[in-house]
Amino acid sequence: MRDNDSATATVAIAVSTPDVPAAPVQGTPAEATPEPAAPARSALVSRGALLAALGVAAFSLTFPATAWALEGMGPWTVVMLRSVLATALAGGALAVFRVRPPERRHWAGIAVVAGGVVLGFPLLTTLALETSTTSHAAVVVGLLPLTTAAFSAVRTGARPSRTFWIASLVGAVVVIGFAVQQSGGAPGRGDLLLFAALLVCAAGYTEGGRLARHMPGWQVIGWALVLALPVTVAGAALALSAEPLRLTAHSVSGLLWLAFGSQFLGMVAWYRGMAAIGISKASQLQLAQPLLTLVWSVLLLGEHLPPAAPAAALAVLACIAVTQRTRG
């Protein structure tokens, strides 16, 4: 089987959603790809939105899964083991389908993805969850869509419309107000870690969405995991020797979801969705993530749902609807 054929066919392994036409294949100039007809473009956008939404659904379970994993493992153990396990899945797929390494010009972007979504965001949020509740962390990270849109505008030259930015800012204000109301307006160490996580994750999302226009999304996160493997293997060995380990149903289940759901399968769907509908628009779907995480925190962790959550949910969903209808 040829490399290019295998790279396209493998997406079905990562997610159940059928494959969608990607932007130019690796090594093909963007201008050589003809613009799809209107019906095909509409179908592409719909599938892209669905894939991005599946990614958001997977990410919404990340904080509850982290809280479960921390019941039996230290934070460094959780972060390093989740990456090592995800690399085993991604690296295995790359080897089975004999996918060629990316071109040299793409490795800098892959390094940003590795630093942002493989190492930086998981580590910073896991450390923050030692002192913050999942519901509080969820609403702070709700600023990620606006941060990602800003990174996208700088990195890719995207220029969303004024309406897009107004709707995004309104959504961000709702999220900030919700967070302040819950924390009493006194940010602590956990909040600083979460804000740092926003920056590194937005950079990783932006680079990943850009790279997904040149190669399948599962290869983007796959090569990022492989690139980070020397760090994660060494880190896992050190963490296991220094931190206590108590395997329970919760800790094992949480770790497995973080590795296979959040770190790999969710990223596959997310990057393909971003490539199809654009980084800025896909990022706004993530405004729903903190509300979904709040639901999971109640169902899985027994946390109490704040009274303001329903109103915040309606406001955020309205902002999503506006951003998805604007051009940019």
Side-chain angles (χ1 to χ4, degrees):
M1 183 179 289
R2 298 193 310 271
D3 291 334
N4 288 341
D5 291 340
S6 64
T8 303
T10 49
V11 177
I13 294 176
V15 290
S16 58
T17 308
D19 197 7
V20 295
V25 296
Q26 186 172 339
T28 303
E31 59 270 18
T33 302
E35 184 70 19
R41 176 62 183 168
S42 177
L44 178 64
V45 170
S46 296
R47 289 184 178 184
L50 176 61
L51 284 168
L54 288 174
V56 170
F59 299 154
S60 70
L61 281 161
T62 299
F63 287 171
T66 301
W68 272 11
L70 287 172
E71 290 179 11
M73 308 175 195
W76 290 89
T77 301
V78 171
V79 173
M80 297 303 165
L81 281 184
R82 68 178 274 185
S83 294
V84 170
L85 291 174
T87 307
L89 177 61
L94 291 169
V96 167
F97 292 97
R98 300 178 182 177
V99 179
R100 291 175 299 179
E103 297 177 14
R104 182 180 299 179
R105 63 193 177 100
H106 294 318
W107 278 108
I110 290 174
V112 174
V113 175
V117 303
V118 174
L119 296 173
F121 185 80
L123 178 59
L124 292 167
T125 54
T126 300
L127 292 173
L129 284 173
E130 288 191 298
T131 57
S132 297
T133 64
T134 58
S135 56
H136 180 78
V139 291
V140 174
V141 175
L143 292 175
L144 185 56
L146 184 60
T147 310
T148 303
F151 266 84
S152 172
V154 173
R155 180 67 180 87
T156 68
R159 293 294 180 267
S161 67
R162 180 178 299 180
T163 303
F164 176 95
W165 284 114
I166 291 174
S168 299
L169 286 170
V170 171
V173 168
V174 170
V175 170
I176 292 173
F178 192 77
V180 169
Q181 189 266 337
Q182 290 300 301
S183 65
R189 173 178 174 271
D191 292 310
L192 296 178
L193 290 170
L194 291 169
F195 286 129
L198 288 176
L199 298 178
V200 298
C201 189
Y205 278 175
T206 299
E207 285 300 310
R210 185 183 65 82
L211 288 168
R213 295 181 176 273
H214 300 276
M215 65 184 79
W218 76 273
Q219 293 183 22
V220 174
I221 187 61
W223 287 115
L225 285 163
V226 170
L227 183 63
L229 186 60
V231 175
T232 56
V233 167
L238 290 173
L240 286 169
S241 66
E243 294 180 333
L245 179 66
R246 185 169 58 90
L247 299 181
T248 65
H250 274 187
S251 63
V252 173
S253 298
L255 180 64
L256 291 178
W257 177 260
L258 290 172
F260 302 128
S262 300
Q263 190 76 78
F264 185 64
L265 299 180
M267 295 302 303
V268 169
W270 179 240
Y271 280 147
R272 287 195 65 80
M274 293 178 88
I277 65 176
I279 297 171
S280 295
K281 280 194 174 183
S283 69
Q284 299 313 299
L285 288 172
Q286 216 166 18
L287 283 168
Q289 184 175 322
L291 283 306
L292 290 173
T293 300
L294 286 175
V295 173
W296 296 127
S297 69
V298 172
L299 296 178
L300 300 178
L301 303 176
E303 295 184 3
H304 296 291
L305 187 67
L314 291 175
V316 167
L317 290 176
C319 292
I320 293 174
V322 172
T323 59
Q324 294 306 299
R325 288 180 176 274
T326 61
R327 292 185 178 273

